[in-house]
Amino acid sequence: MKHLIDIKDLSVKEIDDLIEVAKDIINHRDNYSHKCDGKKLATLFFEPSTRTRLSFEAAMMELGGNVLGFSEASSSSVSKGETVADTIQVVGCYADIIAMRHPKEGAPYVASVKSTVPIINAGDGGHNHPTQTLTDLLTIKCEKGRLDNLTIGLCGDLKFGRTVHSLITAMARYNNIKIVLISPDELKLPEYVKKEVLEKNNIEYVETKDIEEYMSELDILYMTRVQKERFFNEADYIRLKDYYILNKDKLKVAKNDLCIMHPLPRVNEISTDVDDDPRACYFKQANYGKYIRMALILKLLEVK
Amino acid sequence: MNIDSIKNGYVIDHIKAGKAMRIYDILGLAELDCQVALITNAKSKKQGKKDIIKIDKDIPLNLDALGFIDHNITVNVVKDDIIVEKRKLNLPQRVVNVAKCTNPRCITSIEKDLDQVFNLTDKENEVYRCLYCESSLKNKE
């Protein structure tokens, strides 16, 4: 039995296979509408996250399966002091697969050790969110046609942004990837990610504060939100939250086939005037998220 | 200062000065009923000063815990008043319940029955990361 706790749990081949299945689902949706008949997905959301939960639930429903679960810890036995291991063993009696979000980092790993059914990490604190990374990879593959030979700009909160760290980790396994790190000094990519991922894999990278400096070279521009909940000092958040605002003007020098991505939700970092630009891919990205989750559910349930 | 020699047991030598108490706690030496000598700030040619622990009993030693705290420590095994072996220590790949994760967002911060597990992820820089949240151990001392 396989779980997905960390994107590194999947080999490049397994990721490529998931992407191929997701693409096939997009093109032949009817072929998959009864693949999970009679199967149940439990969505255990110990902290709220509407879009990720809905994406998982929609994915299971489109496969013909059913969903059950809770959307916040206060409506579960956790509020009575139950451990993650106990909760997971009970839910394993009722569901065939579990997607779990938890505010504490490492909780899905603890669940996977005790679980009798596959566990999918749907986000644990600021740690991992592997299905977001799979979503990003499917988006890049579908929009660019490849996962190698790419120059990727990552912009915004590179310090706390788990999606950025996971995406860098995943992309480091492909050939000829160049990374442009765009952030204010206070939100730069942590040194350990540079050393243990970029430098260890000989990935070429540059750092800049100027979003326009390398704009003309980018194949992908991955924007991120400055997250209020990561700051202890509100003044720092207010000073940094609008540091980057991508608008049509800044995109003038960008390539015609640039792919603009964002894990959503956005606040101000992408102006709404960019939404109509054909290079804006962030809503398509949310849609791809459902299809890669469908492919993942099939893989973990070993449904052919 | 005179301290009796060991008949059968261990002399844990070349401990970085100031670390002996931590080792005393982690090895659970307070629980033993034999003679245990803890010497701090002993003169050392190599280190200037060092700590030493002498244990007058052949007990199972957690060498991983010792290696994790300070892999430059030497463990002398004494049998019938003679040092019969000098064990060199290595940085262990994994340590269990030797250090605590300080990340307030780690699952171990709320589930106290979980083992505290750290894996060696960067040998060159002696970086250990929590099994659960992957936070690096800020202060191995």
Side-chain angles (χ1 to χ4, degrees), chain A residues 27-236:
Chain A
N27 294 324
H28 307 96
R29 288 175 63 173
D30 288 347
N31 293 353
Y32 291 86
S33 57
H34 294 288
K35 289 277 187 188
C36 286
D37 281 355
K39 303 276 188 191
K40 283 171 286 194
L41 165 76
T43 51
L44 309 187
F45 277 59
F46 295 82
E47 69 173 0
S49 169
T50 311
R51 76 188 59 232
T52 303
R53 184 170 56 85
L54 293 183
S55 177
F56 270 108
E57 294 183 355
M60 191 53 163
M61 288 173 182
E62 288 209 21
L63 290 167
N66 293 305
V67 295
L68 65 163
F70 53 82
S71 56
E72 53 181 319
S74 62
S75 57
S76 78
S77 292
V78 174
S79 59
K80 298 170 192 157
E82 188 175 52
T83 63
V84 166
D86 282 6
T87 303
I88 231 69
Q89 286 175 95
V90 172
V91 176
C93 301
Y94 309 138
D96 301 286
I97 186 167
I98 295 170
M100 168 182 176
R101 170 166 289 207
H102 201 287
K104 292 295 180 184
E105 298 170 5
Y109 171 76
V110 172
S112 72
V113 172
K114 291 286 183 185
S115 182
T116 53
V117 299
I119 301 287
I120 302 172
N121 180 1
D124 58 335
H127 186 213
N128 281 319
H129 192 1
T131 58
Q132 179 64 52
T133 309
L134 287 175
T135 299
D136 297 340
L137 294 176
L138 176 62
T139 306
I140 293 170
K141 181 75 176 183
C142 288
E143 296 299 316
K144 302 302 297 180
R146 64 187 189 277
L147 286 166
D148 50 11
N149 300 307
L150 291 165
T151 300
I152 303 169
L154 300 157
C155 178
D157 177 5
L158 308 188
K159 184 178 180 182
F160 300 110
R162 63 184 171 192
T163 55
V164 167
H165 302 174
S166 293
L167 184 58
I168 288 173
T169 303
M171 293 309 299
R173 302 197 284 186
Y174 293 92
N175 292 328
N176 195 22
I177 297 297
K178 292 176 188 160
I179 303 279
V180 180
L181 302 166
I182 309 156
S183 71
D185 285 337
E186 296 88 338
L187 297 174
K188 283 170 83 168
L189 191 73
E191 283 300 317
Y192 77 87
V193 181
K194 286 184 214 164
K195 280 191 182 144
E196 292 178 24
V197 182
L198 292 174
E199 290 166 19
K200 198 171 171 183
N201 291 286
N202 296 316
I203 303 293
E204 191 180 325
Y205 73 94
V206 288
E207 293 185 284
T208 179
K209 279 189 267 190
D210 182 359
I211 192 173
E212 291 171 90
E213 187 178 356
Y214 294 95
M215 184 67 83
S216 62
E217 299 173 30
L218 301 180
D219 299 304
I220 311 275
L221 175 56
Y222 196 99
M223 298 295 295
T224 62
R225 174 172 60 99
V226 176
Q227 298 174 82
K228 190 177 181 181
E229 58 271 30
R230 305 289 182 215
F231 288 85
F232 292 112
N233 180 345
E234 190 163 357
D236 285 343

